[in-house]
Amino acid sequence: GEVAVGKGLDSTGAMLLWVRRIGPDWNHDLYRTTDGVTFTRMATPKLAVTPMQITDIFSVPKVGLMALWFAGRYDDSPNHSWGTLTSGDNGATWAQRTIESELTKPQWPTEPSAIYLGNGRILAVARTEMGGTSSTRSQFQMVSTDYGATWTRKRTNIGDIAASTPSLILDPETGLLSNYYYQRGKGILRRRVVEPDRVFSDPLNWPASEEVATGSPITFDAGNANATAIRDMHYVAFYSGKAPDTAILVSAIPAPTARNPDVNPSRSGGPRK
């Protein structure tokens, strides 16, 4: 099977896509496109730890391109890990670092989304594979102050999420950070908007969420957000429905404003199929 698992831009503005390829070997291919029509495979890195998934690509000064990865078996043994991939040549070659290994499933951050804040600071949030109470299923937050050399991982106060992928957007105009995620079992696409300094050292300080779109309440047939920004709009893709009738939806949401970041945005008329 093949599935696109991570997106990003290189230094020229070309689009990069990680495509997971499952066959005799488990590989991740990196494709590049300048027009969205033709795609060229740039790399298939041979990695010491085989990722379950490599996530979105972002730029970090002094490093180049960076993506986060995670690996594990989703079982109760301490065999789970996560780390970084970095490229100093626009994606042609990649270096892998393991940040944490031998984690149990409750300690394991999966499907992370990360943004660079400046001055060496990186902030990432990740989903948890645990259910239970809001404290055990809350999102993880991982931060670095040295361009990704070292990291600190803590739990957030975001508990209205379980086994659902988050996606971050940092608005360069307002400096506001949007954290999108789908509340599985409730069928709600949620957003939390914050000034990054408020939560960087205090992951328990995320503000309340807002409902920005709705989908199916079927727990594992709907979920997982992936967001991108185009000018003053955020476009958030997620899947919804009930197997075997599911679909990819895209919700168009106005970016938050600096004047009132915690107020619900103007509704966009719902998701587009």
Side-chain angles (χ1 to χ4, degrees), residues 131-216:
T133 66
S134 60
S135 61
T136 61
R137 67 170 182 262
S138 59
Q139 281 183 346
F140 288 104
Q141 179 172 299
M142 298 95 78
V143 299
S144 173
T145 59
D146 52 12
Y147 302 92
T150 60
W151 294 77
T152 300
R153 173 177 56 86
K154 295 181 180 179
R155 284 196 178 272
T156 69
N157 60 331
I158 302 174
D160 51 354
I161 185 173
S164 195
T165 305
S167 193
L168 299 178
I169 291 181
L170 180 65
D171 190 321
E173 296 296 327
T174 64
L176 293 174
L177 177 62
S178 296
N179 180 353
Y180 289 97
Y181 58 94
Y182 192 89
Q183 187 178 10
R184 277 181 154 156
K186 298 291 186 179
I188 302 171
L189 179 66
R190 295 190 176 274
R191 176 173 76 175
R192 298 197 186 214
V193 180
V194 72
E195 294 180 353
D197 286 346
R198 174 175 167 178
V199 296
F200 189 85
S201 299
D202 186 1
L204 299 179
N205 204 28
W206 281 88
S209 66
E210 52 187 309
E211 176 186 329
V212 293
T214 57
S216 168

Side-chain angles (χ1 to χ4, degrees), residues 7 167 169 180 189 191 225-238 249-255 268 272:
K7 68 184 189 304
S167 193
I169 291 181
Y180 289 97
L189 179 66
R191 176 173 76 175
N226 194 289
T228 193
I230 302 176
R231 293 182 292 276
D232 60 350
M233 294 294 292
H234 293 174
Y235 297 89
V236 188
F238 59 97
L249 305 181
V250 178
S251 189
I253 303 162
S268 60
R272 304 169 183 175

